[in-house]
Amino acid sequence: MNTLKLIWKVISSMKLMLILLSIFGISIAIATFIENDYGVTTSWALIYGAKWFEFLQLMLAVSLIGGIINYNMVKGKKLAILIFHFAFLIILIGAAMTRYYGYEGMMSIREGAITNRMLSSDSLIQIEVEKNGKKYYSEKKFFLTYLGENKFKQTIDVDGKKVTLTLDKFLNKVIKVLKETDNGNPIYELVISIPNAQPETVYLERGKSIELGYLNLYFDKEPEKDSPYIHIYTKGDKRYFVSNYDFNHMNMLTQEQTKAMAHKEKEYTVKSLIFEGGFQMVSKSFVESGKVQLTKKYSDHATYEEIKKDYTTLSGLAVNVNYDDKDQKATIMGMGKGYQGKKETLYFDDIKVKVSWGSKEIILPFALRLNDFVLEKYPGSKSPSSYESKVTLIDKKEDVLEDKRIYMNNTLIYKGYTFFQSSYDQDEKGTILSVN
């Protein structure tokens, strides 16, 4: 009993609370400097997202409650001190609720577009496994640091066996390059374009597939019929493609354009363009024997200040995936927070494993349409004075169709989701909303 009293006396002492507050303040100050010099992800990896920082906040909350009880602040004439304690407690409780029970993200909408999708603010490594028609899923937060070593391990149980992903190396700002080799595989270099996005170069290797999210690509590999696909395959000394959707096809060398009907094969050559609506896929090049290699865009002497200005070049996580005592290597491409990473697919004997790194796509139970984005600037300046999003809230299940305005200090709150005006596209025809 005396031991418990001693522990309570220490925990509820004003001295301990002042020490904890000092450590808390110093930690946040250090995190601010780290964030400025090495980015947000590093500050989260080393401080904000660290277990010791969670424990510090827990101890601080317990100390505050202990102080209120020990010094009888509720009944005593210590209103100012009581308000300070309660205010700090509310902040800590709110932070804990957001951290463990809520989530935050970003929603981008172009004028005239409708979306019910947002990207999580957290960077996750996601593992998806398929075995005998059954699906398994695991996700884990990954805070990338530019100070020190990055370590990560994630395990998912699949029918009594473990799939384990281990991070080998972080590859900062790398570029994929297709090179001809003597002992390589046939590979297509394809350029994909979709509306409101930068053209993307992908490399499709024989016997493999690429998931684009809206469409799957296959090269000499049997496609899964339950989703949109384009299947390129070899027959004799020529190559053909077939899809379960209608597409337009153009030979860019001859400019001959034809219709590629669903489930009907059509010859596929280099410089072929397959398109429909806003989707375009160009076969830029092809090698009979090659490998895709990663090369650094910047030298080892480049500073973080130089690299952080590059918002387009992807980085990579070199990982090892183990299943049933067998290992496979993969490089997951992405940018981490705020970017939906590219899925890499690995095939073991009886399972298919998909791994990705980046923000998670979250589907909302309603949608927003951006009718107009309005940006006002200071007279004689290009600096914005204010900007707002005029949207329509669409909830078919609840029969809701309402026009709303989102701007500074005027949020949209619906079904527990709060939308804040955060930023906008550079051409001023799209908005970026913060969601929590």
Side-chain angles (χ1 to χ4, degrees), residues 20 23-24 27 51-60:
L20 292 173
I23 296 173
F24 185 77
S27 301
K51 293 295 181 183
W52 67 264
F53 193 69
E54 290 183 10
F55 181 72
L56 174 63
Q57 293 177 83
L58 175 62
M59 286 300 299
L60 187 54

Side-chain angles (χ1 to χ4, degrees), residues 112-340:
I114 301 174
T115 186
N116 66 336
R117 301 169 186 266
M118 60 177 273
L119 290 180
S120 67
S121 60
D122 290 322
S123 175
L124 307 167
I125 290 182
Q126 301 176 72
I127 304 175
E128 303 171 51
V129 183
E130 292 183 26
K131 181 180 181 181
N132 300 328
K134 191 174 180 180
K135 295 184 178 181
Y136 304 82
Y137 176 79
S138 172
E139 64 180 45
K140 189 176 179 180
K141 291 181 182 179
F142 174 61
F143 299 115
L144 178 69
T145 174
Y146 291 91
L147 278 174
E149 186 181 1
N150 286 287
K151 294 182 180 180
F152 186 86
K153 187 175 182 179
Q154 184 176 352
T155 300
I156 178 174
D157 185 86
V158 178
D159 198 20
K161 294 182 179 180
K162 303 290 185 182
V163 174
T164 303
L165 181 148
T166 308
L167 175 63
D168 290 336
K169 189 178 181 181
F170 169 60
L171 307 170
N172 194 17
K173 300 299 181 185
V174 289
I175 303 171
K176 286 186 174 182
V177 179
L178 178 59
K179 294 188 176 181
E180 292 191 68
T181 59
D182 293 332
N183 56 348
N185 292 318
I187 302 175
Y188 275 102
E189 181 181 13
L190 306 171
V191 179
I192 311 291
S193 296
I194 59 173
N196 306 322
Q198 294 291 327
E200 177 186 4
T201 300
V202 299
Y203 299 92
L204 184 58
E205 187 176 343
R206 172 183 278 178
K208 295 189 176 181
S209 61
I210 297 175
E211 292 190 16
L212 300 174
Y214 47 87
L215 181 74
N216 297 335
L217 304 177
Y218 300 87
F219 180 17
D220 281 341
K221 180 179 177 61
E222 190 64 26
E224 297 177 3
K225 303 295 196 299
D226 58 346
S227 58
Y229 68 83
I230 293 176
H231 180 205
I232 301 170
Y233 58 95
T234 306
K235 190 164 71 172
D237 59 351
K238 293 183 178 181
R239 290 187 174 84
Y240 299 82
F241 80 92
V242 68
S243 176
N244 54 352
Y245 278 74
D246 293 343
F247 281 99
N248 295 302
H249 174 261
M250 176 188 289
N251 186 318
M252 298 181 70
L253 297 177
T254 64
Q255 295 296 302
E256 180 186 1
Q257 181 173 329
T258 56
K259 190 75 175 179
M261 305 302 293
H263 308 294
K264 300 291 184 181
E265 72 173 17
K266 198 164 189 66
E267 188 175 350
Y268 191 66
T269 60
V270 176
K271 305 301 180 185
S272 286
L273 169 64
I274 298 174
F275 63 100
E276 179 60 41
F279 170 81
Q280 295 185 352
M281 184 178 82
V282 178
S283 173
K284 185 178 179 181
S285 65
F286 174 78
V287 296
E288 286 287 355
S289 179
K291 288 184 178 180
V292 177
Q293 299 179 353
L294 293 173
T295 60
K296 290 184 178 180
K297 184 174 181 179
Y298 299 92
S299 70
D300 293 334
H301 304 292
T303 64
Y304 177 77
E305 285 295 322
E306 295 177 84
I307 298 174
K308 76 176 185 179
K309 296 176 183 178
D310 186 345
Y311 298 105
T312 57
T313 306
L314 300 181
S315 296
L317 299 181
V319 300
N320 180 78
V321 179
N322 176 276
Y323 173 72
D324 201 17
D325 294 326
K326 295 179 181 178
D327 293 302
Q328 287 195 43
K329 302 288 186 180
T331 301
I332 318 172
M333 302 299 292
M335 290 186 185
K337 183 176 180 179
Y339 181 88
Q340 190 175 6

